[in-house]
Amino acid sequence: MTKTILITGAGHGFAKTTAFILAEKGHNVIATAEIWPQVTELKAEAKEKNLTNLIIEKLDVTKERERDFLINKYDIDILFSNAGLMDAGPIGEQPLDLIRSMFDINVFSALEFAQGFIKKMVAKKSGKIVFTSSMGGLLTVPYASAYCATKHALEAIAEGLKTELEPFNIKIATVNPGAFDTGFNDRGMDSIKHWYDPKTNFTSEQIFAGFEEMLSQQFDPQMMVDVIVDVILSDNPNFRNVCPQPVEDYIKQLQADAWTLKS
C-alpha cells in the first residue's frame, strides 16, 4: 500500500538517501530541508530522477511558522523525525548556549512538530512516527555527552509516546545509528574548534588527538539506511533499532556493567 511519508532533515545524510529510496518504491514522500540551497538541490535531483512523488519543502524545525505550515498542509501516514544537531566537547566546559541549541533542535522542536501530526493520527486512529535517536541515546560517549543527553531525552519521549499512543493504533519506533560516515560526526567534532582554546580551557588538547582516527573508521551509511527503510515500511517494527550489531552488543554489555560500576 502506498504511504505518505514526511521526513525532516533530508538535506543530506540518512534522511536524504531514505527519501529517494522510498520515492523510488512508489511512496509519496515530503522531504524537508533546513535551508533553501538544500531545497534547490533536492528539487533538481528529484526532477532529474523524474520522481514526481517526491515533494521538497523548506523546514527549519526550530521555526514555529514553518512547522505549522507543514502540519496544516499535509495529512501523512508516517513521520520520520530525523533533523538533529551535534556539537561536541567536554561538557564541563562546553558553552551552555550550544547545549541549549542541541536540546531545542533534537528534543523540543522534534516533539513539538510530532505533536502536530499526533493530533491528526489520533483522529484517524492510525499512524507511525520514527525518531532518529543514536547509540548515544543508550550510552554516553565522552566529549559528546551533551549530545547524548539530548538523545537520552528523546528515548524517554519515544518510550512514553509508544505506551500512550498504543490505544490509538499509532506505532512509535527509534533508529539508533552507530558511527556512520555521513559527515554528521565530523561536523560535530569540528564544532569544538569554534570555542575551545587550549590556553584558557582546562581540558588537555591531547584529548582530541584521537578523533581523526576514530572518524576514519566509521561505517558505510547504506547499512543504516536499509534498516531505516525497513522500520518505516514495516507494519510491526521493533521499537528500538540499533545498527550495526556489534554496537548493539556493546551497548547491552555496558548497560549490564553499569550495575557494578564504581564512582
Side-chain angles (χ1 to χ4, degrees), residues 107-166:
V107 182
F108 300 121
S109 296
L111 176 58
E112 192 162 9
F113 191 55
Q115 284 180 335
F117 285 109
I118 285 169
K119 292 176 183 177
K120 292 185 172 186
M121 291 177 179
V122 166
K124 63 181 182 180
K125 289 187 168 52
S126 176
K128 182 195 292 183
I129 302 172
V130 179
F131 293 99
T132 296
S133 180
S134 169
M135 69 175 187
L138 304 171
L139 55 77
T140 300
V141 180
Y143 307 102
S145 53
Y147 169 74
C148 293
T150 69
K151 294 303 186 179
H152 277 65
L154 188 63
E155 288 285 333
I157 288 168
E159 287 194 40
L161 290 174
K162 177 184 181 300
T163 302
E164 295 164 10
L165 297 179
E166 192 171 358

Side-chain angles (χ1 to χ4, degrees), residues 20 41-52 54:
F20 278 90
E41 291 174 7
L42 286 172
K43 284 184 175 181
E45 288 187 50
K47 183 177 181 180
E48 183 180 341
K49 295 177 182 291
N50 197 31
L51 292 172
T52 56
L54 178 56

